[in-house]
Amino acid sequence: MSAIREEMPVLTRHEGDWVGTYTVVDTEGKIVDKYESHLTCQFPEDGSHSYYQINRYKWSDGKQEEYEFPGTYRDKALWFDTERIDGKAWEVDDATVILWFSYKTVPDMYLYEMIVISPCNNHRARTWHWFKNNQLFKRTLIQEERLR
């Protein structure tokens, strides 16, 4: 068993495919965006990456986006350094992972994500808190279920 699977057992429970809905709200709770998602969370056996995630998004108007996030494991945390983001994820209890990341093209903005997986491993609740100039300016609410 690899070190990431041994030392980040909560993250390991997220392996597989997840489908859900992202709802973006402003600080007053008004919905400013909503879209469907399909995420794939992998721990490649070939050693190419400690972790690999593919995010696919689809809006009702037909718009689609897809992003790949390879991660490196060290110091009991998962680190991301892609063309798009810098970030770090770590476990805080037996159901919760916290992720901090920033977009490289927007240096004064960052977010914290809380990811909570159900005891049966088939449901996730995720919340993003977006900050710009250290001030909260929106939240993303994500509800997902395991596809496989």
Side-chain angles (χ1 to χ4, degrees):
M1 184 183 283
S2 68
I4 190 171
R5 287 186 182 273
E6 291 175 8
E7 297 175 356
M8 293 191 79
V10 178
L11 180 67
T12 301
R13 291 169 47 202
H14 294 265
E15 185 172 26
D17 285 272
W18 297 86
V19 292
T21 303
Y22 283 51
T23 304
V24 183
V25 298
D26 64 16
T27 57
E28 302 297 315
K30 179 184 171 194
I31 296 175
V32 296
D33 199 4
K34 190 169 188 171
Y35 49 96
E36 303 301 312
S37 65
H38 176 182
L39 277 63
T40 303
C41 303
Q42 306 169 22
F43 297 86
E45 295 296 324
D46 65 6
S48 58
H49 302 286
S50 304
Y51 178 84
Y52 199 84
Q53 183 170 312
I54 304 168
N55 293 13
R56 301 164 200 88
Y57 305 119
K58 186 186 307 182
W59 284 260
S60 60
D61 65 2
K63 175 183 169 183
Q64 295 186 38
E65 294 180 359
E66 183 173 313
Y67 301 100
E68 297 179 10
F69 300 100
T72 303
Y73 177 73
R74 71 175 184 278
D75 304 324
K76 295 188 179 182
L78 182 61
W79 299 83
F80 296 95
D81 184 4
T82 70
E83 289 182 11
R84 193 164 192 241
I85 68 163
D86 276 319
K88 175 186 175 185
W90 63 96
E91 296 181 0
V92 295
D93 62 24
D94 63 357
T96 310
V97 174
I98 300 293
L99 169 65
W100 173 92
F101 73 87
S102 64
Y103 290 99
K104 291 182 176 181
T105 58
V106 190
D108 61 341
M109 187 178 76
Y110 60 91
L111 66 87
Y112 278 93
E113 175 180 3
M114 182 173 74
I115 310 163
V116 180
I117 192 166
S118 66
C120 70
N121 298 326
N122 291 319
H123 305 278
R124 298 195 305 191
R126 299 168 45 218
T127 307
W128 296 6
H129 295 266
W130 295 78
F131 295 87
K132 191 169 193 172
N133 296 318
N134 298 312
Q135 297 294 311
L136 178 72
F137 73 98
K138 67 180 173 179
R139 294 178 178 92
T140 302
L141 314 171
I142 306 156
Q143 186 168 340
E144 297 169 308
E145 63 182 43
R146 184 182 297 280
L147 184 60
R148 54 183 159 170

